[in-house]
Amino acid sequence: MASVQALKSRLRSNYRFFLPYRLRWADNDQYGHVNNSVYNFLIDSVVNTYLIESCGLRPTDPNPSEPIGLVVTSSCNYFAPLTFPDVVDLGLRVNKLGNSSVTYEVGFFQQGKDTVAAVGGFTHVFVHPVERRPTAMVEQMRRGLEKLVVEDKASL
Amino acid sequence: MASVQALKSRLRSNYRFFLPYRLRWADNDQYGHVNNSVYNFLIDSVVNTYLIESCGLRPTDPNPSEPIGLVVTSSCNYFAPLTFPDVVDLGLRVNKLGNSSVTYEVGFFQQGKDTVAAVGGFTHVFVHPVERRPTAMVEQMRRGLEKLVVEDKASL
Amino acid sequence: MASVQALKSRLRSNYRFFLPYRLRWADNDQYGHVNNSVYNFLIDSVVNTYLIESCGLRPTDPNPSEPIGLVVTSSCNYFAPLTFPDVVDLGLRVNKLGNSSVTYEVGFFQQGKDTVAAVGGFTHVFVHPVERRPTAMVEQMRRGLEKLVVEDKASL
Amino acid sequence: MASVQALKSRLRSNYRFFLPYRLRWADNDQYGHVNNSVYNFLIDSVVNTYLIESCGLRPTDPNPSEPIGLVVTSSCNYFAPLTFPDVVDLGLRVNKLGNSSVTYEVGFFQQGKDTVAAVGGFTHVFVHPVERRPTAMVEQMRRGLEKLVVEDKASL
């Protein structure tokens, strides 16, 4: 696992795929900044967008032979507040790619800033869409994820 | 109030201000489409973005002399499903502008489509930020909102 | 549609089915009260709990012959703020029951209080779970919903 | 940090404070189970309920001399799915208590079951409510949190 210090120094160039997300009014909690739970919604969103657009995931009409990814562990480190109506660039990379699992890392960059506001991620285990037992991911999934792998001693 | 049929025929040209919103994975509920409640989060977001950027609203650091808008009634009509990872253009207009209240209408257009997927809105009553009693909106607020007023017999 | 004044005077005895909901920290927005969109999540929850527990709805494993309910229009009126960590009693009634549609009304009562904090609701149209075309609801569904019907000239 | 295996074997008796939470319809994502991000909303809720009810936190009307807790790191491990309309008992404990920070652990138990469905938590750093610089927690806060401390070699 990367040290918090290593994560805090992440640059935009440390990520392989980016999507911009516009924050929502209700993302701010009563302390006037984006609530910690909201970051997980955004991590989920950039990961699944990539899986759908570049890896063949069809979550609403799964072919019984094609596994879906379930989250088994998640984490996030918060370095600076984000606040509605910020727009945030989410950077995605893959820190570990196994036969039936993958660990993603996501960096949060407020548009116009280069210091990372937060770094989080989670591990997907691929399972049969009905039986929900772990299974190897399909070839198209693996090929898509391989493009995001970053070799790094200081990964999550 | 506009008939549902009038709302269903809204065009992009019926709105005055637009923001694109990227949907999130968890916006989809177990029926595989965006849950009805999520539309209200988006209506809230386009309204408050406009109030902050064009009308001088400072929600996290209110000057005691500057009122904030509280929602007193809200509604939405759903014509076609939206689904993650759609990006949605939200169009904003003002249907009624009073001394201390304003009624907004928001149209949801999936990017690349011209038929409206949903039309909703709500009424803000402006109140003192601490005492929460209704009060006239300030001049900067009114001037910003006037730019969005659409004269229309078939408004919400 | 009931006048706002009629809705504002709703009593606990005007509803037929109740569930208590504990509010969440992030339900409060930066104004320190529950965000308007959250009420729709709660309306959705009390309705679907009743449909699952008392009307035979099986949303995650639909039998192709059993329709699901999609929201076509929703609304809410807000009379008094709710705030985390309040626990809220949600009262449910049916204002209109057709062959393929049903209109629900939900009253929000803070625990320990008898004045209604908000009244909202929505209309479900029952559709085939795959084709999503309107269809008559099944007999078990109708029998469950009939128990909640309130004859009332001042309904939503 | 506790091993995942240690967390997976948590019992109800390993926690000091409990609150039941009723899940919401939209907590289920399109895979028909509670989305991972929702767990963080619940962790936030049981922690802040305890801080308000037992430790003197007043988040919406902070006395400038009384710090608020900001989340700096969070994590969760998911062992079994939760699904609407489950009611979930959330158990809370404190794994580490410093001068200006506290690490909480929360166990998720479906009502009627004794095996833990998920274990997560986060670290609060107490900061001045306006300047947002770290500061020692007040005595009332510390006394409340001390009641939840569990000495455990296998903590988060």
Side-chain angles (χ1 to χ4, degrees):
Chain A
M1 178 178 291
S3 69
V4 171
Q5 205 51 46
L7 296 176
K8 197 171 180 174
S9 60
R10 287 285 196 250
L11 306 173
R12 286 173 184 259
S13 57
N14 294 129
Y15 298 93
R16 293 282 177 272
F17 174 75
F18 278 88
L19 279 180
Y21 278 85
R22 190 176 293 281
L23 296 176
R24 300 174 182 177
W25 166 261
D27 291 341
N28 278 10
D29 65 18
Q30 59 203 76
Y31 290 152
H33 63 188
V34 173
N35 181 267
N36 72 88
S37 316
V38 174
Y39 292 71
N40 289 66
F41 281 129
L42 294 173
I43 293 170
D44 235 13
S45 299
V46 66
V47 166
N48 280 292
T49 298
Y50 185 80
L51 294 184
I52 290 170
E53 294 184 351
S54 302
C55 303
L57 181 71
R58 293 173 294 170
T60 54
D61 180 27
N63 181 311
S65 69
E66 291 187 13
I68 60 177
L70 299 190
V71 176
V72 294
T73 181
S74 63
S75 65
C76 196
N77 294 275
Y78 312 87
F79 303 125
L82 294 169
T83 304
F84 171 85
D86 288 349
V87 179
V88 184
D89 293 322
L90 266 68
L92 176 65
R93 56 190 274 176
V94 165
N95 284 344
K96 194 175 176 189
L97 184 59
N99 284 325
S100 63
S101 69
V102 51
T103 300
Y104 311 92
E105 180 189 313
V106 173
F108 292 72
F109 297 88
Q110 186 184 343
Q111 281 197 347
K113 292 200 177 174
D114 285 325
T115 53
V116 72
V119 177
F122 61 67
T123 296
H124 257 162
V125 168
F126 285 90
V127 301
H128 185 279
V130 177
E131 300 164 11
R132 306 265 162 134
R133 295 274 173 189
T135 179
M137 64 186 80
V138 296
E139 190 55 29
Q140 182 183 10
M141 183 66 70
R142 167 175 299 281
R143 281 199 308 271
L145 290 173
E146 280 172 348
K147 294 174 189 166
L148 301 186
V149 172
V150 177
E151 301 290 343
D152 187 349
K153 291 170 182 165
S155 60
L156 271 179
Chain B
M1 180 179 289
S3 69
V4 171
Q5 205 50 47
L7 296 176
K8 198 173 180 175
S9 61
R10 286 285 194 252
L11 306 173
R12 286 172 185 259
S13 58
N14 293 129
Y15 298 93
R16 293 280 176 273
F17 173 76
F18 278 89
L19 279 181
Y21 277 84
R22 189 177 294 280
L23 295 177
R24 301 175 181 176
W25 166 261
D27 291 341
N28 278 10
D29 65 18
Q30 60 203 74
Y31 290 153
H33 64 187
V34 173
N35 180 269
N36 72 88
S37 317
V38 175
Y39 292 71
N40 288 68
F41 281 129
L42 295 173
I43 293 169
D44 234 13
S45 298
V46 66
V47 166
N48 280 291
T49 298
Y50 186 79
L51 294 186
I52 290 170
E53 294 184 350
S54 302
C55 303
L57 182 71
R58 293 172 295 170
T60 54
D61 181 26
N63 181 311
S65 67
E66 291 188 12
I68 60 176
L70 298 191
V71 176
V72 295
T73 181
S74 64
S75 66
C76 196
N77 292 276
Y78 312 87
F79 303 124
L82 295 170
T83 304
F84 171 86
D86 289 349
V87 179
V88 184
D89 293 322
L90 266 67
L92 176 65
R93 57 189 273 176
V94 164
N95 285 344
K96 193 176 177 189
L97 184 59
N99 284 323
S100 62
S101 70
V102 50
T103 299
Y104 311 91
E105 180 189 313
V106 173
F108 293 72
F109 297 88
Q110 186 184 343
Q111 282 198 347
K113 292 200 176 174
D114 284 325
T115 53
V116 72
V119 177
F122 61 67
T123 297
H124 257 162
V125 168
F126 285 89
V127 301
H128 185 280
V130 178
E131 300 163 10
R132 305 265 162 134
R133 295 276 172 188
T135 179
M137 64 187 79
V138 295
E139 190 56 29
Q140 182 183 9
M141 182 67 70
R142 167 173 299 281
R143 280 197 308 270
L145 291 172
E146 279 173 349
K147 294 175 188 165
L148 301 186
V149 173
V150 178
E151 301 290 342
D152 187 351
K153 290 169 182 166
S155 59
L156 271 179
Chain C
M1 178 179 290
S3 69
V4 171
Q5 205 51 45
L7 296 176
K8 196 171 180 175
S9 61
R10 287 285 195 251
L11 306 173
R12 287 173 184 258
S13 58
N14 293 129
Y15 298 94
R16 294 279 177 273
F17 173 75
F18 278 89
L19 279 181
Y21 277 85
R22 189 176 293 281
L23 296 176
R24 301 174 181 176
W25 166 261
D27 291 341
N28 278 11
D29 65 17
Q30 60 203 75
Y31 290 152
H33 63 188
V34 173
N35 181 268
N36 72 88
S37 316
V38 174
Y39 292 70
N40 289 66
F41 280 131
L42 295 172
I43 293 169
D44 235 13
S45 299
V46 66
V47 166
N48 280 291
T49 298
Y50 186 79
L51 294 184
I52 291 171
E53 295 184 350
S54 302
C55 303
L57 181 71
R58 292 171 295 169
T60 55
D61 180 27
N63 181 310
S65 68
E66 291 189 12
I68 59 177
L70 298 191
V71 175
V72 295
T73 181
S74 63
S75 65
C76 196
N77 293 276
Y78 311 87
F79 304 124
L82 295 169
T83 304
F84 171 86
D86 288 349
V87 179
V88 184
D89 293 323
L90 265 68
L92 176 65
R93 57 189 274 176
V94 165
N95 285 344
K96 194 175 177 189
L97 184 60
N99 284 325
S100 62
S101 70
V102 51
T103 299
Y104 311 92
E105 180 189 312
V106 173
F108 292 73
F109 297 88
Q110 186 184 343
Q111 282 197 347
K113 291 199 177 175
D114 285 325
T115 53
V116 72
V119 177
F122 61 68
T123 296
H124 257 162
V125 169
F126 285 89
V127 301
H128 186 279
V130 177
E131 301 164 10
R132 306 264 162 136
R133 296 275 173 188
T135 180
M137 64 186 81
V138 295
E139 191 55 28
Q140 182 182 10
M141 182 67 69
R142 167 174 300 281
R143 280 198 308 270
L145 290 173
E146 279 172 348
K147 293 174 189 166
L148 301 187
V149 173
V150 177
E151 301 290 344
D152 187 350
K153 290 170 184 166
S155 60
L156 269 179
Chain D
M1 181 179 288
S3 70
V4 172
Q5 206 49 48
L7 297 176
K8 198 173 181 174
S9 61
R10 286 285 194 252
L11 306 173
R12 287 172 184 259
S13 58
N14 294 128
Y15 298 93
R16 294 279 177 274
F17 173 76
F18 278 89
L19 280 181
Y21 277 85
R22 189 176 294 281
L23 295 176
R24 301 175 181 176
W25 166 262
D27 292 341
N28 278 11
D29 66 18
Q30 60 203 76
Y31 290 152
H33 64 187
V34 174
N35 180 269
N36 72 88
S37 316
V38 174
Y39 293 71
N40 289 66
F41 281 130
L42 295 173
I43 293 170
D44 234 13
S45 299
V46 65
V47 166
N48 280 291
T49 298
Y50 186 79
L51 294 186
I52 290 170
E53 295 184 350
S54 302
C55 303
L57 182 71
R58 293 172 295 171
T60 53
D61 180 27
N63 181 311
S65 66
E66 291 188 12
I68 60 177
L70 298 190
V71 175
V72 294
T73 181
S74 63
S75 66
C76 196
N77 293 275
Y78 312 88
F79 304 124
L82 295 169
T83 304
F84 171 86
D86 288 349
V87 179
V88 184
D89 293 322
L90 266 68
L92 176 65
R93 57 189 274 176
V94 165
N95 285 344
K96 193 176 176 189
L97 183 59
N99 284 323
S100 62
S101 70
V102 50
T103 299
Y104 311 91
E105 181 189 312
V106 173
F108 292 73
F109 297 88
Q110 187 184 343
Q111 282 197 348
K113 292 201 176 174
D114 285 325
T115 53
V116 72
V119 177
F122 61 68
T123 297
H124 257 162
V125 169
F126 285 89
V127 302
H128 185 280
V130 178
E131 300 164 10
R132 305 265 162 134
R133 297 275 173 189
T135 180
M137 64 187 79
V138 296
E139 190 56 28
Q140 182 183 10
M141 182 68 69
R142 168 174 299 281
R143 281 197 308 269
L145 291 173
E146 279 173 349
K147 294 175 187 165
L148 301 186
V149 173
V150 178
E151 301 289 343
D152 186 350
K153 289 170 183 166
S155 58
L156 270 179

